[in-house]
Amino acid sequence: MRHTVVERELELRLILSPERSIPVPARLGYRTDDPYAVHVSFHVGSEHQVDWTFSRDLLVEGVFRPSGHGDVRVWPSKADGCGVVLVALDSPAGDALLQAPAGIVSAWLERTLRAVPAGTEADQLGLDDALDELLAR
């Protein structure tokens, strides 16, 4: 089975305080061989990138209303009159609040949903084929 990758480079804003933020280059990634997850890689000025993986459904919902709890929370907001998506990440290494342009995130999510429509993720995993093969033995 051939797998599709949907990626998008973008600039996020790391919110340091209500008055201060800094740009953070990032990459959104989605792979049809991991259909339930989105992958975000942050390039934070070191030679090592920081990677986070979380539910695509959480991000889809978070574009419209507050979503998630625990390590990853996502919600829509406005900044300078423009729609943004805020992503709060909590880890033992620290916390981060990131701001992404809502239009870019929404357009990228639409591309992932064209690749694998919501509700069809399990079909991508080939579990039925693997089970049929196992039972045929």
Side-chain angles (χ1 to χ4, degrees):
M1 177 183 260
R2 190 171 149 319
H3 296 290
T4 301
V5 175
V6 180
E7 290 186 324
R8 176 67 157 91
E9 299 281 337
L10 74 160
E11 183 177 276
L12 303 177
R13 303 293 304 177
L14 175 62
I15 308 298
L16 302 174
S17 73
E19 306 81 30
R20 188 159 176 254
S21 66
I22 58 172
V24 177
R27 181 186 317 108
L28 298 173
Y30 180 79
R31 301 187 319 259
T32 58
D33 63 338
D34 190 7
Y36 292 102
V38 294
H39 306 271
V40 185
S41 299
F42 306 101
H43 310 284
V44 290
S46 71
E47 61 188 58
H48 302 292
Q49 67 186 26
V50 176
D51 297 308
W52 277 76
T53 301
F54 51 91
S55 162
R56 178 176 70 165
D57 288 346
L58 184 146
L59 188 57
V60 168
E61 184 175 332
V63 168
F64 299 102
R65 66 187 141 281
S67 177
H69 49 46
D71 295 346
V72 181
R73 291 169 295 139
V74 183
W75 65 97
S77 189
K78 292 265 186 209
D80 300 323
C82 297
V84 296
V85 177
L86 295 173
V87 180
L89 303 173
D90 296 319
S91 78
D95 305 334
L97 178 59
L98 297 149
Q99 176 182 298
I104 290 174
V105 172
S106 295
W108 176 78
L109 282 168
E110 286 176 22
R111 288 177 50 213
T112 75
L113 291 164
R114 280 196 299 274
V116 179
T120 68
E121 293 90 349
D123 299 344
Q124 297 296 313
L125 300 176
L127 296 178
D128 289 337
D129 294 339
L131 185 57
D132 289 344
E133 185 179 315
L134 184 64
L135 293 175
R137 290 183 189 164

